[in-house]
Amino acid sequence: MGFLSVLSCAQQWVSSRLQPGEYAIDATVGTGADTLFLAQQVGKRGQVIGFDIQSQALTLAQARIRKQEDSTKLGSISLMELSHDRMAEAVPERWQGAVGAIMFNLGYLPAEGADASIITQTDSTIAALEAALSLLRPRGIITAVLYPGHDGGAQEADAVVEWCSALPVDQAQVVMYRQMQRSSSPFLIGIEKK
């Protein structure tokens, strides 16, 4: 058995902290894999909100969720065509400081026919991470998968690493999961709120 992929590792970190009945956010819906995973983790009493700026992503996510065999075990899912940097203003007031997990999968929409030039932007990603940290409950987790191998990806990844490195240790603990020999490989950052 080899090392986990960054996506599997992110899910493992989230599943060890997110509890049934909690609130969770998919900051970058994409094809809906993390959205569905979060809805499975929070169970039928929990709630998930997903954000994406592309309607195509939300359509793909809805199709994935509809294919789920036992949807009665899923938490309620709301999808918003909205930038992730607006999550704090878009979630209900009761979510402030109460979210168990927030997942980011940065880069571009990995779907056939998708416009790969539409990528997550450094400024909105940093603003979204700040919003996410404010929404978390104590011991809640943010996972961010970064893709330095595409145009604009390395700059965004560097900015996220810099932002995370500057977080005060009394506010959050930050870890990185990365293949060291390939600088263009995707990598994972986990942020646990104190």
Side-chain angles (χ1 to χ4, degrees), residues 83-173:
S83 175
H84 54 198
D85 65 346
R86 298 189 49 207
M87 73 173 78
E89 67 191 67
V91 300
E93 181 67 32
R94 67 184 180 280
W95 286 47
Q96 303 294 325
V99 176
I102 302 171
M103 299 183 81
F104 289 77
N105 196 351
L106 301 168
Y108 56 87
L109 179 60
E112 188 177 325
D115 183 350
S117 71
I118 301 173
I119 61 172
T120 51
Q121 299 294 315
T122 301
D123 291 345
S124 63
T125 294
I126 298 300
L129 286 166
E130 290 172 355
L133 194 56
S134 75
L135 289 170
L136 282 185
R137 64 163 167 74
R139 296 196 40 100
I141 187 170
I142 296 167
T143 61
V145 177
L146 297 120
Y147 297 86
H150 69 85
D151 285 345
Q155 295 86 343
E156 180 179 46
D158 289 346
V160 170
V161 168
E162 184 179 330
W163 180 83
C164 290
S165 298
L167 286 174
V169 293
D170 62 343
Q171 185 179 3
Q173 173 178 299

